[in-house]
Coordinates of all heavy atoms in Angstrom, one line a residue:
M1 N 0.8 -1.2 0.0 CA 0.0 0.0 0.0 C 0.9 1.2 0.0 O 1.7 1.4 0.9 CB -0.9 0.0 1.3 CG -1.8 1.1 1.3 SD -3.1 0.8 2.6 CE -2.9 2.1 3.6
K2 N 0.7 2.1 -1.0 CA 1.5 3.3 -1.1 C 0.9 4.4 -0.3 O -0.3 4.6 -0.3 CB 1.6 3.7 -2.5 CG 2.4 5.0 -2.7 CD 3.0 5.0 -4.1 CE 3.7 6.4 -4.3 NZ 4.7 6.7 -3.4
K3 N 1.7 5.1 0.4 CA 1.3 6.3 1.2 C 0.9 7.4 0.2 O 1.5 7.6 -0.8 CB 2.4 6.8 2.2 CG 2.7 5.8 3.3 CD 3.7 6.4 4.2 CE 4.1 5.4 5.2 NZ 5.1 5.9 6.1
E4 N -0.2 8.1 0.6 CA -0.6 9.2 -0.3 C 0.2 10.5 -0.1 O 0.3 11.3 -1.0 CB -2.1 9.6 0.1 CG -3.0 8.4 -0.2 CD -4.4 8.7 0.3 OE1 -4.7 9.9 0.6 OE2 -5.2 7.8 0.4
N5 N 0.8 10.7 1.0 CA 1.6 11.9 1.3 C 2.9 11.5 1.9 O 3.0 11.0 3.1 CB 0.7 12.8 2.3 CG 1.4 14.1 2.5 OD1 2.4 14.4 2.0 ND2 0.8 14.9 3.4
D6 N 4.0 11.7 1.2 CA 5.3 11.4 1.8 C 6.0 12.6 2.4 O 7.1 12.4 3.0 CB 6.2 10.9 0.6 CG 5.8 9.6 0.1 OD1 5.2 8.8 0.9 OD2 6.0 9.3 -1.1
E7 N 5.4 13.8 2.3 CA 6.0 15.0 2.9 C 5.7 15.0 4.4 O 4.6 14.7 4.9 CB 5.5 16.2 2.3 CG 5.9 16.4 0.8 CD 5.4 17.7 0.2 OE1 5.2 18.7 1.0 OE2 5.3 17.7 -1.0
L8 N 6.7 15.4 5.2 CA 6.5 15.6 6.6 C 6.1 17.0 6.9 O 6.5 18.0 6.3 CB 7.8 15.3 7.4 CG 8.3 13.9 7.3 CD1 9.6 13.8 8.1 CD2 7.3 12.9 7.9
E9 N 5.2 17.2 7.9 CA 4.7 18.5 8.3 C 5.1 18.7 9.7 O 5.0 17.8 10.6 CB 3.2 18.5 8.2 CG 2.6 19.8 8.7 CD 1.0 19.7 8.7 OE1 0.5 18.6 8.2 OE2 0.4 20.6 9.1
I10 N 5.7 19.9 10.0 CA 6.1 20.2 11.4 C 5.1 21.3 11.9 O 4.9 22.3 11.2 CB 7.5 20.8 11.4 CG1 8.5 19.7 10.9 CG2 7.9 21.2 12.9 CD1 9.9 20.2 10.7
R11 N 4.5 21.0 13.0 CA 3.5 22.0 13.6 C 3.9 22.3 15.0 O 4.2 21.4 15.8 CB 2.1 21.4 13.6 CG 1.6 21.2 12.2 CD 0.1 20.8 12.3 NE 0.0 19.4 12.5 CZ -1.0 18.7 12.9 NH1 -2.1 19.4 13.1 NH2 -1.0 17.4 13.0
N12 N 3.9 23.6 15.4 CA 4.1 24.0 16.7 C 2.8 24.1 17.5 O 2.8 24.2 18.7 CB 4.8 25.4 16.8 CG 6.2 25.3 16.3 OD1 6.8 24.2 16.4 ND2 6.8 26.3 15.7
K13 N 1.7 24.2 16.8 CA 0.3 24.2 17.4 C -0.2 22.8 17.4 O -0.3 22.2 16.4 CB -0.6 25.1 16.6 CG -0.5 26.6 17.0 CD -1.8 27.3 16.5 CE -1.9 28.6 17.3 NZ -3.1 29.3 16.9
I14 N -0.6 22.4 18.6 CA -1.1 21.0 18.8 C -2.6 21.2 19.0 O -3.1 21.9 19.8 CB -0.5 20.4 20.0 CG1 1.0 20.4 20.0 CG2 -1.0 18.9 20.2 CD1 1.7 19.7 18.9
T15 N -3.4 20.5 18.1 CA -4.8 20.5 18.2 C -5.4 19.5 19.2 O -4.6 18.7 19.7 CB -5.4 20.2 16.8 OG1 -5.1 18.8 16.5 CG2 -4.9 21.1 15.7
K16 N -6.7 19.7 19.5 CA -7.3 18.7 20.5 C -7.3 17.3 19.9 O -7.1 16.4 20.7 CB -8.7 19.2 20.7 CG -8.8 20.4 21.6 CD -10.3 20.8 21.9 CE -10.4 22.0 22.7 NZ -11.8 22.4 23.0
E17 N -7.4 17.2 18.7 CA -7.4 15.8 18.1 C -6.0 15.2 18.2 O -5.9 14.0 18.5 CB -7.7 15.9 16.6 CG -9.2 15.9 16.3 CD -9.9 14.7 16.8 OE1 -9.4 13.5 16.6 OE2 -11.0 14.9 17.4
D18 N -4.9 16.0 18.1 CA -3.6 15.5 18.3 C -3.4 15.1 19.7 O -2.8 14.0 20.0 CB -2.5 16.6 17.9 CG -2.6 17.0 16.4 OD1 -3.0 16.2 15.6 OD2 -2.2 18.2 16.1
K19 N -3.9 15.9 20.6 CA -3.7 15.5 22.1 C -4.5 14.3 22.4 O -4.0 13.4 23.2 CB -4.2 16.7 22.9 CG -3.3 17.9 22.9 CD -3.8 19.0 23.8 CE -2.9 20.2 23.8 NZ -3.4 21.3 24.6
K20 N -5.6 14.0 21.7 CA -6.4 12.8 22.0 C -5.6 11.6 21.5 O -5.6 10.5 22.1 CB -7.7 12.8 21.2 CG -8.7 13.7 21.9 CD -10.1 13.7 21.1 CE -11.1 14.7 21.7 NZ -12.3 14.7 21.0
I21 N -4.9 11.7 20.3 CA -4.1 10.7 19.8 C -3.0 10.3 20.7 O -2.7 9.2 21.1 CB -3.5 11.0 18.4 CG1 -4.7 11.1 17.4 CG2 -2.4 10.1 18.0 CD1 -4.3 11.7 16.0
L22 N -2.3 11.3 21.3 CA -1.2 11.1 22.2 C -1.7 10.5 23.5 O -1.1 9.5 24.0 CB -0.5 12.5 22.5 CG 0.6 12.4 23.5 CD1 1.8 11.6 22.9 CD2 1.1 13.8 23.9
H23 N -2.8 11.0 24.0 CA -3.4 10.4 25.2 C -3.8 8.9 25.1 O -3.5 8.1 25.9 CB -4.6 11.2 25.7 CG -5.3 10.7 26.9 ND1 -4.7 10.8 28.2 CD2 -6.5 10.1 27.1 CE1 -5.5 10.3 29.1 NE2 -6.6 9.8 28.4
K24 N -4.4 8.6 24.0 CA -4.8 7.2 23.7 C -3.6 6.3 23.6 O -3.6 5.2 24.1 CB -5.6 7.1 22.4 CG -7.1 7.5 22.6 CD -7.8 7.3 21.3 CE -9.2 7.8 21.4 NZ -10.0 7.7 20.2
A25 N -2.5 6.8 22.9 CA -1.3 6.0 22.8 C -0.6 5.8 24.1 O 0.0 4.7 24.3 CB -0.4 6.6 21.7
L26 N -0.6 6.8 25.0 CA 0.1 6.7 26.2 C -0.7 6.1 27.4 O -0.3 6.1 28.5 CB 0.6 8.1 26.6 CG 1.7 8.7 25.7 CD1 2.0 10.1 26.1 CD2 2.9 7.8 25.7
N27 N -1.9 5.7 27.0 CA -2.8 5.2 28.1 C -2.2 4.0 28.8 O -1.7 3.1 28.2 CB -4.1 4.7 27.4 CG -5.2 4.3 28.4 OD1 -5.1 4.7 29.6 ND2 -6.1 3.5 28.0
G28 N -2.1 4.0 30.1 CA -1.5 3.0 30.9 C -0.1 3.3 31.4 O 0.4 2.6 32.2
I29 N 0.5 4.4 30.9 CA 1.8 4.7 31.3 C 1.6 5.6 32.5 O 1.1 6.7 32.4 CB 2.6 5.4 30.2 CG1 2.9 4.5 29.1 CG2 3.9 6.0 30.8 CD1 3.7 5.0 27.9
K30 N 2.1 5.2 33.7 CA 2.0 5.9 34.9 C 3.3 6.6 35.4 O 4.4 6.1 35.1 CB 1.5 5.0 36.0 CG 0.3 4.2 35.7 CD -0.9 5.0 35.6 CE -2.2 4.2 35.3 NZ -3.2 4.8 34.7
G31 N 3.2 7.7 36.0 CA 4.3 8.4 36.6 C 5.0 9.4 35.7 O 5.9 10.1 36.2
W32 N 4.6 9.5 34.5 CA 5.2 10.5 33.6 C 4.0 11.3 33.0 O 3.0 10.8 32.6 CB 5.9 9.8 32.4 CG 7.2 9.1 32.7 CD1 7.8 9.1 33.9 CD2 7.9 8.4 31.8 NE1 8.9 8.4 33.8 CE2 9.1 7.9 32.5 CE3 7.8 8.0 30.5 CZ2 10.0 7.1 32.0 CZ3 8.8 7.2 29.9 CH2 9.9 6.8 30.7
N33 N 4.2 12.6 32.9 CA 3.3 13.5 32.3 C 3.9 14.1 31.1 O 4.9 14.8 31.2 CB 2.9 14.6 33.4 CG 1.9 15.6 32.8 OD1 1.2 15.3 31.8 ND2 1.7 16.7 33.5
F34 N 3.3 13.8 29.9 CA 3.8 14.3 28.6 C 3.0 15.5 28.2 O 1.8 15.4 28.0 CB 3.7 13.2 27.6 CG 4.6 12.0 27.9 CD1 4.2 11.0 28.6 CD2 5.9 12.0 27.3 CE1 5.1 9.9 28.9 CE2 6.8 10.9 27.6 CZ 6.3 9.9 28.4
K35 N 3.7 16.6 28.0 CA 3.1 17.8 27.5 C 3.6 18.1 26.1 O 4.8 18.5 25.9 CB 3.3 19.0 28.4 CG 2.6 20.3 27.9 CD 2.9 21.5 28.8 CE 2.2 22.7 28.2 NZ 2.8 23.9 28.6
P36 N 2.8 17.9 25.0 CA 3.3 18.1 23.6 C 3.6 19.6 23.3 O 2.8 20.5 23.7 CB 2.2 17.6 22.8 CG 1.0 17.7 23.6 CD 1.4 17.5 25.0
I37 N 4.8 19.8 22.7 CA 5.1 21.2 22.3 C 5.3 21.3 20.8 O 5.3 22.4 20.3 CB 6.4 21.7 23.0 CG1 7.6 20.8 22.8 CG2 6.1 21.9 24.5 CD1 8.9 21.3 23.3
A38 N 5.5 20.2 20.1 CA 5.6 20.2 18.6 C 5.2 18.8 18.1 O 5.2 17.8 18.8 CB 7.0 20.5 18.2
L39 N 4.9 18.8 16.8 CA 4.4 17.6 16.2 C 5.0 17.5 14.8 O 4.9 18.5 14.0 CB 2.9 17.5 16.1 CG 2.2 16.4 15.3 CD1 2.5 15.1 15.9 CD2 0.7 16.7 15.2
V40 N 5.6 16.4 14.5 CA 6.0 16.1 13.1 C 5.2 14.9 12.6 O 5.1 13.9 13.3 CB 7.5 15.7 13.0 CG1 7.9 15.4 11.6 CG2 8.4 16.8 13.7
T41 N 4.5 15.1 11.5 CA 3.6 14.1 11.0 C 3.6 14.0 9.4 O 4.0 15.0 8.8 CB 2.1 14.3 11.4 OG1 1.3 13.3 11.0 CG2 1.6 15.6 11.0
N42 N 3.3 12.9 8.9 CA 3.2 12.8 7.4 C 1.7 12.9 7.0 O 1.4 12.7 5.9 CB 3.8 11.5 6.9 CG 3.0 10.2 7.3 OD1 2.1 10.3 8.1 ND2 3.4 9.1 6.8
G43 N 0.9 13.2 8.0 CA -0.5 13.5 7.7 C -1.4 12.3 7.6 O -2.6 12.4 7.5
I44 N -0.8 11.1 7.6 CA -1.6 9.8 7.4 C -1.5 8.9 8.6 O -2.5 8.6 9.3 CB -1.1 9.1 6.2 CG1 -1.2 10.0 4.9 CG2 -1.9 7.8 6.0 CD1 -0.6 9.4 3.7
E45 N -0.3 8.5 9.0 CA -0.3 7.4 10.0 C 0.9 7.6 11.0 O 0.9 7.0 12.1 CB -0.2 6.0 9.4 CG 1.0 5.9 8.5 CD 1.0 4.5 7.8 OE1 0.0 3.9 7.7 OE2 2.1 4.1 7.3
D46 N 1.9 8.4 10.7 CA 3.1 8.5 11.5 C 3.0 9.8 12.3 O 2.9 10.9 11.7 CB 4.4 8.4 10.7 CG 4.6 7.0 10.1 OD1 4.3 6.0 10.8 OD2 5.0 7.0 8.9
Y47 N 3.1 9.8 13.6 CA 3.2 10.9 14.4 C 4.4 10.9 15.3 O 4.7 9.9 15.9 CB 1.9 11.0 15.3 CG 0.6 11.3 14.6 CD1 0.0 10.4 13.9 CD2 0.1 12.6 14.6 CE1 -1.2 10.7 13.2 CE2 -1.0 12.9 13.9 CZ -1.7 11.9 13.2 OH -2.8 12.2 12.5
Y48 N 5.1 12.0 15.4 CA 6.3 12.2 16.2 C 6.1 13.4 17.1 O 6.2 14.5 16.6 CB 7.6 12.3 15.4 CG 7.7 11.3 14.3 CD1 7.3 11.4 13.0 CD2 8.3 10.1 14.7 CE1 7.5 10.4 12.1 CE2 8.5 9.1 13.7 CZ 8.1 9.3 12.4 OH 8.2 8.3 11.5
F49 N 5.7 13.2 18.3 CA 5.5 14.3 19.2 C 6.8 14.6 20.0 O 7.5 13.7 20.4 CB 4.4 13.9 20.3 CG 3.0 13.8 19.8 CD1 2.5 12.6 19.3 CD2 2.2 14.9 19.8 CE1 1.2 12.6 18.8 CE2 0.9 14.9 19.3 CZ 0.4 13.7 18.8
I50 N 7.1 15.9 20.1 CA 8.1 16.4 20.9 C 7.4 16.9 22.2 O 6.5 17.8 22.1 CB 8.9 17.6 20.3 CG1 9.4 17.2 18.9 CG2 10.1 18.0 21.2 CD1 10.4 16.0 18.8
C51 N 7.8 16.3 23.3 CA 7.1 16.6 24.6 C 8.0 17.0 25.7 O 9.1 16.5 25.8 CB 6.3 15.4 25.0 SG 5.1 14.7 23.9
K52 N 7.5 17.9 26.5 CA 8.1 18.1 27.8 C 7.7 17.0 28.7 O 6.5 16.6 28.7 CB 7.7 19.5 28.4 CG 8.4 20.7 27.7 CD 8.0 21.9 28.4 CE 8.6 23.1 27.7 NZ 8.2 24.4 28.3
V53 N 8.5 16.5 29.6 CA 8.2 15.4 30.4 C 8.4 15.8 31.9 O 9.4 16.3 32.3 CB 9.0 14.2 30.1 CG1 8.6 13.0 31.0 CG2 8.9 13.8 28.7
K54 N 7.4 15.6 32.7 CA 7.5 15.7 34.1 C 7.2 14.4 34.8 O 6.4 13.6 34.3 CB 6.4 16.7 34.7 CG 6.7 18.1 34.2 CD 5.7 19.1 34.9 CE 6.0 20.5 34.5 NZ 5.0 21.4 35.1
T55 N 8.1 14.1 35.8 CA 8.0 12.8 36.4 C 7.6 12.9 37.9 O 7.9 13.9 38.5 CB 9.3 12.0 36.3 OG1 10.3 12.7 37.0 CG2 9.7 11.7 34.9
I56 N 6.9 11.9 38.4 CA 6.5 11.9 39.8 C 7.8 11.5 40.6 O 8.0 12.1 41.6 CB 5.4 10.9 40.0 CG1 4.1 11.4 39.3 CG2 5.2 10.6 41.5 CD1 3.0 10.4 39.4
I57 N 8.6 10.6 40.1 CA 9.8 10.1 40.8 C 10.9 11.0 40.4 O 11.2 11.2 39.2 CB 10.1 8.7 40.4 CG1 8.9 7.8 40.8 CG2 11.4 8.2 41.1 CD1 9.0 6.4 40.2
E58 N 11.6 11.6 41.3 CA 12.7 12.6 41.0 C 13.9 12.0 40.4 O 14.6 12.7 39.7 CB 13.1 13.3 42.3 CG 12.0 14.2 42.9 CD 12.4 14.9 44.1 OE1 13.6 15.1 44.4 OE2 11.5 15.4 44.9
D59 N 14.1 10.7 40.6 CA 15.3 10.1 40.0 C 15.2 9.9 38.5 O 16.3 9.8 37.8 CB 15.5 8.7 40.6 CG 15.9 8.8 42.1 OD1 16.4 9.9 42.5 OD2 15.8 7.8 42.8
L60 N 14.1 9.9 37.9 CA 13.9 9.9 36.5 C 14.1 11.3 35.9 O 13.3 12.1 36.1 CB 12.5 9.3 36.1 CG 12.2 7.9 36.6 CD1 10.8 7.5 36.3 CD2 13.2 6.9 36.0
Q61 N 15.2 11.5 35.2 CA 15.6 12.8 34.9 C 15.2 13.2 33.4 O 15.6 14.2 32.9 CB 17.1 13.0 35.0 CG 17.6 12.8 36.4 CD 17.0 13.9 37.3 OE1 16.9 15.0 37.0 NE2 16.6 13.5 38.5
M62 N 14.3 12.5 32.8 CA 14.0 12.8 31.4 C 13.2 14.1 31.4 O 12.2 14.2 32.1 CB 13.1 11.7 30.8 CG 12.9 11.9 29.3 SD 11.8 10.6 28.5 CE 12.2 9.1 29.3
K63 N 13.6 15.1 30.6 CA 12.9 16.4 30.6 C 12.2 16.6 29.2 O 11.2 17.3 29.2 CB 13.9 17.5 30.8 CG 14.5 17.5 32.3 CD 15.5 18.5 32.5 CE 16.0 18.4 33.9 NZ 17.1 19.1 34.2
M64 N 12.8 16.1 28.2 CA 12.3 16.2 26.8 C 12.3 14.8 26.2 O 13.3 14.1 26.4 CB 13.1 17.2 26.0 CG 13.1 18.6 26.4 SD 11.5 19.5 26.1 CE 11.6 19.6 24.4
A65 N 11.3 14.5 25.4 CA 11.2 13.2 24.8 C 10.5 13.3 23.4 O 9.7 14.2 23.2 CB 10.5 12.2 25.6
K66 N 10.9 12.4 22.5 CA 10.2 12.2 21.3 C 9.3 10.9 21.4 O 9.8 9.9 21.9 CB 11.2 11.9 20.1 CG 11.9 13.1 19.6 CD 12.6 12.8 18.3 CE 14.0 12.3 18.6 NZ 14.8 12.1 17.4
V67 N 8.1 11.1 21.1 CA 7.1 10.0 21.3 C 6.7 9.6 19.8 O 6.1 10.4 19.1 CB 5.9 10.4 22.1 CG1 4.9 9.3 22.2 CG2 6.4 10.9 23.5
Y68 N 6.9 8.3 19.5 CA 6.6 7.9 18.1 C 5.3 7.1 18.2 O 5.2 6.1 19.0 CB 7.7 6.9 17.6 CG 9.0 7.6 17.5 CD1 10.0 7.3 18.4 CD2 9.3 8.5 16.4 CE1 11.3 7.9 18.2 CE2 10.5 9.1 16.3 CZ 11.5 8.8 17.2 OH 12.7 9.4 17.1
I69 N 4.3 7.5 17.4 CA 3.0 6.8 17.4 C 2.6 6.5 15.9 O 2.9 7.3 15.0 CB 1.9 7.8 18.0 CG1 2.3 8.1 19.5 CG2 0.5 7.2 17.9 CD1 1.4 9.1 20.1
K70 N 2.0 5.4 15.8 CA 1.6 5.0 14.4 C 0.1 4.7 14.5 O -0.4 4.1 15.4 CB 2.3 3.7 14.0 CG 2.0 3.3 12.5 CD 3.0 2.3 12.1 CE 3.2 2.3 10.6 NZ 4.0 3.3 10.1
I71 N -0.6 5.1 13.5 CA -2.1 4.9 13.4 C -2.3 4.1 12.1 O -2.0 4.6 11.0 CB -2.9 6.2 13.4 CG1 -2.6 7.0 14.7 CG2 -4.4 5.9 13.2 CD1 -3.3 8.3 14.7
Q72 N -2.9 2.9 12.2 CA -3.3 2.2 11.1 C -4.8 2.3 10.9 O -5.5 2.4 11.9 CB -2.8 0.7 11.2 CG -1.3 0.6 11.2 CD -0.9 -0.8 11.4 OE1 -1.6 -1.6 12.0 NE2 0.3 -1.1 10.9
Q73 N -5.3 2.2 9.7 CA -6.7 2.4 9.4 C -7.5 1.5 10.2 O -7.3 0.2 10.2 CB -6.9 2.2 7.9 CG -8.2 2.8 7.4 CD -8.3 2.8 5.9 OE1 -7.7 1.9 5.3 NE2 -9.0 3.7 5.4
G74 N -8.5 2.0 10.9 CA -9.4 1.2 11.7 C -8.9 0.8 13.1 O -9.6 0.2 13.9
N75 N -7.7 1.1 13.4 CA -7.1 0.8 14.7 C -6.9 2.0 15.6 O -6.8 3.1 15.0 CB -5.8 0.0 14.6 CG -6.0 -1.3 13.9 OD1 -7.0 -1.9 14.1 ND2 -4.9 -1.8 13.2
S76 N -6.7 1.8 16.8 CA -6.4 2.9 17.7 C -4.9 3.3 17.6 O -4.1 2.4 17.2 CB -6.8 2.6 19.2 OG -6.1 1.5 19.6
P77 N -4.5 4.4 18.1 CA -3.1 4.8 18.0 C -2.2 3.8 18.8 O -2.6 3.3 19.9 CB -3.0 6.2 18.7 CG -4.4 6.7 18.6 CD -5.3 5.5 18.6
R78 N -1.0 3.5 18.2 CA -0.1 2.5 18.8 C 1.2 3.2 19.1 O 1.8 3.8 18.2 CB 0.1 1.3 17.9 CG 0.8 0.2 18.5 CD 0.8 -1.0 17.6 NE 1.3 -0.6 16.3 CZ 1.9 -1.4 15.5 NH1 2.1 -2.6 15.7 NH2 2.3 -0.9 14.3
L79 N 1.6 3.1 20.4 CA 2.9 3.7 20.8 C 4.0 2.8 20.3 O 4.0 1.6 20.6 CB 2.9 3.8 22.3 CG 4.2 4.3 22.9 CD1 4.5 5.7 22.5 CD2 4.2 4.2 24.4
L80 N 5.0 3.4 19.6 CA 6.1 2.6 19.1 C 7.3 2.8 19.9 O 8.1 1.8 20.2 CB 6.4 3.0 17.6 CG 5.3 2.7 16.6 CD1 5.8 3.1 15.2 CD2 5.0 1.2 16.6
A81 N 7.6 4.0 20.3 CA 8.8 4.3 21.1 C 8.7 5.6 21.8 O 8.0 6.5 21.4 CB 10.0 4.3 20.2
I82 N 9.5 5.7 22.9 CA 9.7 7.0 23.6 C 11.2 7.1 23.7 O 11.9 6.3 24.2 CB 9.1 7.0 25.0 CG1 7.6 6.8 25.0 CG2 9.4 8.3 25.8 CD1 6.9 6.6 26.3
E83 N 11.7 8.2 23.1 CA 13.1 8.4 23.1 C 13.5 9.7 23.8 O 12.9 10.8 23.5 CB 13.5 8.5 21.6 CG 15.0 8.7 21.4 CD 15.3 8.8 19.9 OE1 14.7 8.2 19.1 OE2 16.2 9.6 19.6
E84 N 14.4 9.6 24.7 CA 14.9 10.8 25.5 C 15.6 11.7 24.6 O 16.5 11.3 23.8 CB 15.7 10.3 26.6 CG 16.2 11.5 27.5 CD 17.0 11.0 28.7 OE1 17.3 9.8 28.8 OE2 17.4 11.9 29.5
I85 N 15.3 13.0 24.7 CA 16.1 14.1 24.0 C 17.1 14.7 24.9 O 18.3 14.8 24.5 CB 15.2 15.2 23.4 CG1 14.2 14.6 22.4 CG2 16.0 16.3 22.8 CD1 13.2 15.5 21.8
S86 N 16.7 15.1 26.1 CA 17.7 15.6 27.0 C 17.3 15.3 28.4 O 16.2 14.9 28.7 CB 17.8 17.1 26.9 OG 16.6 17.8 27.2

């Protein structure tokens, strides 16, 4: 299946729909609070959120992270990876 849109789009404004996608994908992760500040997407299925991260446990020092999410047609958002930036 060929993707319709191969161009990546970078957005600094996060919509309510984008936040819902992030929330559904991160459902079940406890102790971390992800606040999206930017989004890179191909407009179809790949979402890369840049997030500020706050943790409940002080020993976890992750402050910024990239959250990779994939959406396949008919399925809910699926978390692929969380990568620490700083």
Side-chain angles (χ1 to χ4, degrees):
M1 183 165 121
K2 180 154 173 58
K3 293 181 183 179
E4 296 173 15
N5 184 2
D6 291 330
E7 292 183 26
L8 294 177
E9 175 187 358
I10 300 171
R11 291 189 276 165
N12 290 333
K13 275 197 161 184
I14 309 297
T15 65
K16 288 182 181 181
E17 279 299 315
D18 297 333
K19 288 180 182 180
K20 285 181 185 178
I21 290 170
L22 181 64
H23 179 70
K24 283 182 183 179
L26 294 174
N27 189 21
I29 295 180
K30 306 292 182 203
W32 290 353
N33 183 13
F34 293 88
K35 181 181 179 202
I37 57 173
L39 170 65
V40 179
T41 182
N42 68 353
I44 301 170
E45 60 185 18
D46 295 317
Y47 288 80
Y48 307 95
F49 287 91
I50 307 298
C51 300
K52 287 184 181 179
V53 181
K54 290 186 180 180
T55 60
I56 293 174
I57 303 169
E58 291 180 23
D59 293 341
L60 299 174
Q61 298 298 319
M62 190 183 321
K63 294 179 182 167
M64 296 285 290
K66 283 192 274 185
V67 179
Y68 300 104
I69 297 172
K70 185 168 208 77
I71 299 177
Q72 294 178 332
Q73 196 170 30
N75 293 331
S76 61
R78 188 172 53 150
L79 178 65
L80 296 179
I82 298 173
E83 182 180 326
E84 181 179 5
I85 296 175
S86 65

